[in-house]
Amino acid sequence: MSENTTNNVMHGTYCIKMTVPEDDTTFRELEYRFRRPAVASYDRYVKTASQVGITQASKTFLLDAVIEPDREKLIKDMEEFPGVAITIGNKLTEILGLTGNVNLTKL
């Protein structure tokens, strides 16, 4: 899966685009719009990930932030491609500061 995130600062929305393989020769393009997740939603995500599992926690996290015209499409796509929830959830947590792009140097 590959993804591309575009930020529209003027409207406070994010567009996430993904390419998901259906088989070795067929790919599906997915695209959704999200608003920046609230801190309370992130806290709930972290708490419920250990209780109900990362996939269910990611689905709830995404549904908190998805912009309404894309909600039903996202629900349908998450049923067909369960990994979409985790992939997009990871991308949305990056804009809240949860990233692997951190350097540690022994002084």
Side-chain angles (χ1 to χ4, degrees):
M1 285 186 233
S2 66
E3 71 270 345
N4 178 21
T5 306
T6 305
N7 177 13
N8 183 340
V9 177
M10 182 181 290
H11 300 295
T13 60
Y14 295 84
C15 178
I16 294 184
K17 299 176 183 180
M18 302 178 62
T19 303
V20 180
E22 292 182 327
D23 58 35
D24 286 342
T25 60
T26 309
F27 298 88
R28 185 175 311 168
E29 299 291 326
L30 306 176
E31 181 176 338
Y32 315 97
R33 290 169 293 153
F34 295 89
R35 58 188 159 268
R36 181 181 174 90
V39 173
S41 178
Y42 173 76
D43 289 344
R44 205 170 29 255
Y45 167 71
V46 171
K47 181 179 178 181
T48 58
S50 65
Q51 296 172 344
V52 298
I54 192 68
T55 301
Q56 186 58 45
S58 295
K59 286 180 180 180
T60 302
F61 182 60
L62 297 185
L63 293 175
D64 282 349
V66 70
I67 293 177
E68 192 55 45
D70 294 340
R71 185 180 178 85
E72 291 305 315
K73 181 180 182 301
L74 177 61
I75 291 170
K76 180 181 173 222
D77 290 344
M78 287 190 299
E79 290 300 317
E80 185 173 356
F81 304 106
V84 164
I86 296 170
T87 302
I88 296 174
N90 288 341
K91 187 56 80 174
L92 289 178
T93 61
E94 286 181 13
I95 64 174
L96 297 175
L98 185 63
T99 178
N101 294 328
V102 177
N103 294 316
L104 172 69
T105 305
K106 183 177 178 182
L107 303 176

